[in-house]
């Protein structure tokens, strides 16, 4: 069963094992310098984040529904638009994707890590 503390840990991108250490070296979301750099291990509990080579490829599948959830309203807006041109909706969709891209990747990695690494207080 998913609990509130686990959801909070996923959203805050904290270590799935101890839920205290940061998963990313640069905790700010829109500081694009080294935004996806992660420490090898959690600074609090020592949990290794990349369990095996290629571990983070699965996180792309976790971020895909997030992208769809954000982009789908723009698609409907383009289909039923009174703006005159679907290119306006496409442009808005592209801007939304560029702005939310770091969030998609980070949350995808956080969800993936929480799926495979179990909480151990």
């Amino acid at each position: 069963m998913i609990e509130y503390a686990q959801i909070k840990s996923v959203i805050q991108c904290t270590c799935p094992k101890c839920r205290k250490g940061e998963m990313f070296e640069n905790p700010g979301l829109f500081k694009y310098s080294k935004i996806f750099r992660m420490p090898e291990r959690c600074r609090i509990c020592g949990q290794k984040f990349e369990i095996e080579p290629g571990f983070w490829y699965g996180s792309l599948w976790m971020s895909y529904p997030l992208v769809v959830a954000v982009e789908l309203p723009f698609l409907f807006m383009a289909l039923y638009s009174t703006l005159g041109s679907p290119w306006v909706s496409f442009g808005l969709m592209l801007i939304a994707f560029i702005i939310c891209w770091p969030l998609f990747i980070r949350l995808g990695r956080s969800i993936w890590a929480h799926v495979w690494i179990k909480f151990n207080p």
Side-chain angles (χ1 to χ4, degrees), residues 7 12-13 22 29 50 53 70-72 74 81 83 97 120:
I7 294 171
Q12 291 179 342
C13 297
E22 294 287 333
L29 190 58
E50 188 169 357
V70 168
E71 299 296 331
L72 205 56
F74 291 104
S81 176
L83 297 174
F97 179 78
N120 187 4

Side-chain angles (χ1 to χ4, degrees), residues 28-108:
L29 190 58
F30 292 106
K31 299 175 186 173
Y32 287 101
S33 174
K34 303 174 185 174
I35 193 165
F36 302 123
R37 183 164 292 175
M38 298 177 69
E40 186 177 330
R41 297 184 177 275
C42 174
R43 292 180 181 100
I44 307 295
C45 67
Q47 171 66 44
K48 187 175 181 182
F49 288 128
E50 188 169 357
I51 297 172
E52 60 187 21
F55 176 71
W56 296 118
Y57 288 131
S59 69
L60 297 174
W61 290 104
M62 295 293 112
S63 64
Y64 181 73
L66 300 172
V67 173
V68 170
V70 168
E71 299 296 331
L72 205 56
F74 291 104
L75 179 62
F76 286 131
M77 189 171 71
L79 292 174
Y80 301 107
S81 176
T82 58
L83 297 174
S85 172
W87 292 107
V88 173
S89 295
F90 178 74
L92 293 173
M93 186 185 306
L94 189 61
I95 290 169
F97 179 78
I98 291 170
I99 290 172
C100 295
W101 176 67
L103 179 67
F104 296 149
I105 299 297
R106 281 186 169 208
L107 283 178

Side-chain angles (χ1 to χ4, degrees), residues 15-29:
C15 174
K17 187 174 181 181
C18 67
R19 296 184 182 160
K20 295 178 183 173
E22 294 287 333
M23 283 185 63
F24 295 94
E25 289 180 5
N26 187 359
L29 190 58

